[in-house]
Amino acid sequence: NVAAGIVVYDLTGSNTAVGAVSILQFSATMLFTPLAGRLSDRVNRRKMLFVGQLIAFLGALGLAITVGVVGIDDLPGPWPIYAATAVIGLGAAVILPSLQAIVPALVRAEDIDRAITLNSMTFNIARGIGPVAAGAVVAGFGAVWAFGINTLTFVPLLIVLLVIRPRGAVTPEESPDDGTGETVTDALRWILDHPTVVALLVGTLAVGWTSDPFSTLMPAMSERFGYGETVVGLLVGAFGLGAAITAPASDRIRDRLGRGRVVGVGLAVSAVGLLTLAAAPVVHVGLVGAAIAGSGFLLGVTSTNTELQRGLPEHLRGRVMAIWSVAFLGCRPVAALVDGAIADATDPRVALAAAAAIALGAAVFMLVRRPTGSEIASDV
């Protein structure tokens, strides 16, 4: 993602064009993940994960071969990057529901909270290390190498999926007869019947939306600070590092604040980080702001995920977590379009401030509502 953003910005000079990378990457999530969620409640989730990861791997491989043969300077604009991103996004859309729904099948029930946090922590450690490495690789060796290395990063999960054996999930035939059906519409109807779930999805939407600037706006912010490709990776990496540092303490933070408050607090922290980055006079302050935003992001995303997982009936898990994925990542095409358009019309700092305003508004809503998984479970 970092290399794609750098190359597209270099080719076009447009924040909106960089935002198009996120639009293409996450449009499939918005369009196809609900269907994938329905399938994940009916088929083997491990096999479904393997198929999705294989699709994404092939998209990354196609881009690596194209830029290796043609070269970055001879690309016909950003279109090969857009095409590969769309394929990778399709793979992610297949993966996402099962990636979330399979967690309870890998651990004991009493370990679900920590498993979800660990899942997010490993993701954000990668998010902290990967962008820094990407910036260094692009600056030192060129984007061709970055796209080649990226292809290799899809392989470990493919290997893992061949060897793990999750416990079996509830099949439709084993599901309790509680009046819910087997379609995505039935899952949506169930969600609307549970206001606590709706509130958690609103929080998830805000968390996903306010993380987009770290994909769309960082090439422009790096230019504003007077630096090149390496600082793009450092800014995105600082966001991931802030999340990774916060993850081990997230259980204690939830216990201290109360489960219902953590999403709102996380969104408020994200807003502080975004505003700090927007107002930063030098890049060092910007890095601190990015890390603060990453910390808030981690608290928000793990808490919405955990509270939903704690309260969901098993036979709806895939479909509801698919809708959670749409709220979290499916909003990113719209967020990228808005962030890029604001930055091109005004300044990337204004776009960061607008994202902070969304985070603050959502924080107030979540602190008033304070939804928890125990509320969901008591209603089921």
Side-chain angles (χ1 to χ4, degrees):
N1 289 344
V2 171
I6 290 171
V7 172
V8 170
Y9 191 73
D10 286 345
L11 289 171
T12 66
S14 167
N15 291 287
T16 303
V18 176
V21 176
S22 291
I23 291 171
L24 289 164
Q25 183 174 1
F26 299 114
S27 289
T29 299
M30 185 167 55
L31 296 173
F32 300 124
T33 294
L35 175 60
R38 182 185 178 190
L39 285 173
S40 75
D41 282 334
R42 300 171 63 87
V43 303
N44 185 301
R45 287 172 181 157
R46 181 181 65 86
K47 293 180 180 178
M48 193 166 174
L49 281 168
F50 187 88
V51 170
Q53 184 73 350
L54 184 61
I55 292 170
F57 167 75
L58 293 174
L61 179 63
L63 178 60
I65 292 172
T66 300
V67 297
V69 172
V70 176
I72 297 294
D73 293 336
D74 294 324
L75 288 176
W79 303 109
I81 294 173
Y82 287 165
T85 299
V87 175
I88 293 171
L90 177 61
V94 174
I95 287 170
L96 282 169
S98 295
L99 194 64
Q100 301 299 330
I102 203 172
V103 172
L106 299 174
V107 298
R108 296 172 299 183
E110 60 268 26
D111 292 329
I112 287 178
D113 285 14
R114 279 166 289 181
I116 291 170
T117 298
L118 181 61
N119 190 31
S120 295
M121 183 174 72
T122 55
F123 171 81
N124 283 291
I125 288 173
R127 193 167 184 169
I129 296 171
V132 177
V137 169
V138 172
F141 302 99
V144 173
W145 275 86
F147 291 131
I149 293 170
N150 176 64
T151 300
L152 299 178
T153 65
F154 287 85
V155 176
L157 182 56
L158 289 170
I159 295 172
V160 167
L161 290 168
L162 290 174
V163 300
I164 63 167
R165 291 295 180 269
R167 293 190 301 275
V170 175
T171 65
E173 291 76 15
E174 296 168 328
S175 300
D177 184 13
D178 63 352
T180 60
E182 299 176 9
T183 68
V184 176
T185 302
D186 294 317
L188 282 170
R189 189 176 297 115
W190 182 88
I191 289 170
L192 293 175
D193 286 340
H194 295 80
T196 301
V197 178
V198 175
L200 284 170
L201 291 175
V202 169
T204 302
L205 180 69
V207 171
W209 184 289
T210 54
S211 68
D212 175 75
F214 292 92
S215 295
T216 300
L217 301 177
M218 292 309 100
M221 284 301 296
S222 178
E223 186 175 73
R224 292 281 292 169
F225 286 128
Y227 291 89
E229 289 88 352
T230 303
V231 169
V232 178
L234 288 174
L235 288 166
V236 182
F239 178 84
L241 181 63
I245 291 172
T246 304
S250 61
D251 279 348
R252 293 193 297 275
I253 293 171
R254 272 195 288 269
D255 291 340
R256 184 176 294 273
L257 294 177
R259 308 189 69 93
R261 293 179 176 171
V262 179
V263 179
V265 170
L267 283 163
V269 171
S270 291
V272 170
L274 288 165
L275 288 172
T276 301
L277 176 55
V282 293
V283 70
H284 302 87
V285 177
L287 291 170
V288 172
I292 293 171
S295 177
F297 167 83
L298 186 282
L299 291 175
V301 72
T302 57
S303 295
T304 60
N305 191 320
T306 300
E307 297 310 319
L308 272 180
Q309 296 271 26
R310 279 164 55 88
L312 284 180
E314 180 61 36
H315 64 288
L316 286 170
R317 191 176 299 278
R319 282 165 288 168
V320 174
M321 293 313 297
I323 294 167
W324 179 89
S325 298
V326 170
F328 178 46
L329 293 176
C331 70
R332 291 283 295 275
V334 181
L337 184 63
V338 171
D339 288 341
I342 292 175
D344 283 337
T346 56
D347 186 276
R349 298 177 188 271
V350 176
L352 285 167
I358 292 171
L360 280 175
V364 172
F365 171 78
M366 296 304 291
L367 287 170
V368 171
R369 184 61 182 81
R370 300 182 188 179
T372 64
S374 56
E375 290 181 69
I376 304 171
S378 66
D379 288 341
V380 174

